[in-house]
Amino acid sequence: MTGNRRPTIKTVAARAGVGRTTVSRVVNGSELVSADARARVLAAIKELNYVPNSVARGLVTNRTNAVALVIPESESRLGSEPFFAALIRGVSGALAESRTQLQLMLVRDQAERDQLTESVATRRVDGVLLVSVHAEDRLPGMLEEMGLPTVLAGRRDAGERLSYVNSDNAGGAGAAVRHLLGSGRRRVATITGPLDMDVGRSRLAGWRAAHADAGVPARELLVEAGDFTEEGGANAMRLLLERAPDLDAVFAASDLMAVGALAELRRRKRQVPGDVAVVGFEDSILARHTNPPLTTVRQPVEELGRAMARILTDITQHGAPRQQLTLPTELVVRESS
């Protein structure tokens, strides 16, 4: 190089002997480049001391290199549930690989919903990762109408049109309940998640399917809806014990609700697992520190976050089509069952 002229993407392409599109793909972390071409581009970047101009790149590509992680929950809920922390770790780790900025947005009221709408309308973000999807939530439909790339954590229903990453909720719940029935329990209750969410309905469907497979009647008085909180789990456990004091097991649709159920059982002087076996869902850090340690269904929450971020990056940077992914779950047996 001569003088103080700043190297451009065209300069890098000429030095590497490739096209400008190839240089752009390398700079943006795309995998659609051969190892040889990538090596030549990286060598040229180093030799020329080329620094990509993200602002200029955004003007050319109409991208901001930023995405929003939208969580329509309260700050207290965000801080108390291990699920959210693990999901954010997965999302941020994957986005760092593609040099994409993450904006965390809590949507708790109409003012924050309006702020999100403005960000979307003015294209201050390239796409949205949306968590905690309820059936009546208008956000997914709004994002779809605006044509903004969106990936959901979970789905609204089995006919979901948007991209999503889901866990095998019904299969995991079924494995938990088969474990309880297989160990001789016959009055297996369940504390569901919110039934306006597919995750809540799917885990309840798994509870029912396991009973049908075992030829054991699924008694509806053994079903109590929860809200994925510790308090909700304790309250649901109290109602279940009042209705069915002879229950001998409970499957809670989240570890946090299982923690609440364990607390209520202690208050009632019920021994776990002697009197009542307890199983949760998630395999969060809580599960290893309850008394007794909690049998639970492991879902790969960090991987779920990583997969969401990668799918959104594929769509925003490479024009990939809609993707819908379901991750496997695994039963982890500990002393509570």
Side-chain angles (χ1 to χ4, degrees):
M1 293 292 295
T2 60
N4 295 320
R5 186 179 177 188
R6 181 175 178 176
T8 66
I9 195 169
K10 183 177 180 180
T11 315
V12 174
R15 181 63 59 92
V18 299
R20 281 178 289 182
T21 300
T22 300
V23 176
S24 177
R25 284 174 175 167
V26 172
V27 168
N28 286 297
S30 170
E31 297 180 358
L32 303 175
V33 181
S34 70
D36 176 65
R38 185 184 304 278
R40 283 188 282 134
V41 169
L42 292 175
I45 287 173
K46 183 176 180 181
E47 182 181 347
L48 297 170
N49 196 26
Y50 170 69
V51 179
N53 186 330
S54 59
V55 175
R57 189 165 66 241
L59 291 172
V60 172
T61 63
N62 198 29
R63 292 207 312 266
T64 64
N65 289 325
V67 301
L69 174 59
V70 179
I71 304 178
E73 301 287 356
S74 66
E75 288 176 334
S76 60
R77 185 83 177 267
L78 185 68
S80 65
E81 293 193 27
F83 173 86
F84 292 120
L87 186 88
I88 292 170
R89 282 197 303 272
V91 167
S92 60
L95 290 178
E97 296 171 5
S98 63
R99 302 178 184 177
T100 302
Q101 293 182 333
L102 175 64
Q103 298 179 13
L104 178 61
M105 302 182 70
L106 301 185
V107 180
R108 296 159 292 191
D109 54 30
Q110 188 58 46
E112 289 175 339
R113 186 180 293 270
D114 291 342
Q115 181 182 3
L116 172 62
T117 303
E118 182 184 354
S119 292
V120 170
T122 57
R123 288 298 193 266
R124 290 204 289 267
V125 294
D126 295 329
V128 169
L129 302 165
L130 183 57
V131 184
S132 291
V133 183
H134 294 261
E136 299 305 316
D137 193 338
R138 292 179 293 133
L139 277 177
M142 180 193 78
L143 296 169
E144 187 177 19
E145 288 173 7
M146 289 183 164
L148 192 73
T150 302
V151 181
L152 308 180
R155 60 187 187 182
R156 288 169 288 182
D157 53 49
E160 181 60 69
R161 299 181 302 275
L162 295 172
S163 293
Y164 66 77
V165 182
N166 202 20
S167 294
D168 182 8
N169 293 303
V177 177
R178 283 193 297 273
H179 163 71
L180 291 168
L181 294 171
S183 64
R185 310 286 173 161
R186 282 299 176 267
R187 295 173 299 281
V188 181
T190 184
I191 301 172
T192 76
L195 295 178
D196 66 339
M197 300 179 72
D198 179 78
V199 60
R201 296 191 300 273
S202 293
R203 291 177 189 177
L204 176 58
W207 176 85
R208 289 197 173 109
H211 278 84
D213 292 344
V216 177
R219 301 160 63 193
E220 291 304 312
L221 85 163
L222 292 176
V223 177
E224 186 62 42
D227 59 0
F228 288 143
T229 68
E230 183 176 351
E231 296 77 12
N235 185 57
M237 190 75 254
R238 177 180 60 80
L239 294 172
L240 286 167
L241 288 168
E242 289 173 357
R243 286 204 306 268
D246 62 340
L247 66 83
D248 59 6
V250 60
F251 163 61
S254 77
D255 287 351
L256 201 55
M257 292 196 299
V259 169
L262 288 169
E264 182 63 23
L265 289 166
R266 278 195 298 272
R267 282 192 286 271
R268 301 281 183 130
K269 302 291 192 284
R270 299 291 185 97
Q271 297 297 311
V272 177
D275 298 326
V276 181
V278 179
V279 179
F281 201 114
E282 189 178 331
D283 195 29
S284 66
I285 191 170
L286 295 173
R288 296 182 286 281
H289 297 286
T290 57
N291 184 22
L294 183 66
T295 295
T296 184
V297 177
R298 177 178 295 153
Q299 64 170 346
V301 181
E302 281 197 44
E303 176 54 33
L304 190 148
R306 285 193 294 270
M308 289 176 67
R310 287 170 182 156
I311 288 173
L312 188 59
T313 299
D314 283 347
I315 295 170
T316 58
Q317 296 188 4
H318 312 306
R322 180 189 69 177
Q323 299 179 53
Q324 298 182 336
L325 178 64
T326 299
L327 302 178
T329 53
E330 175 190 1
L331 182 68
V332 180
V333 178
R334 298 192 180 97
E335 288 86 338
S336 70
S337 64

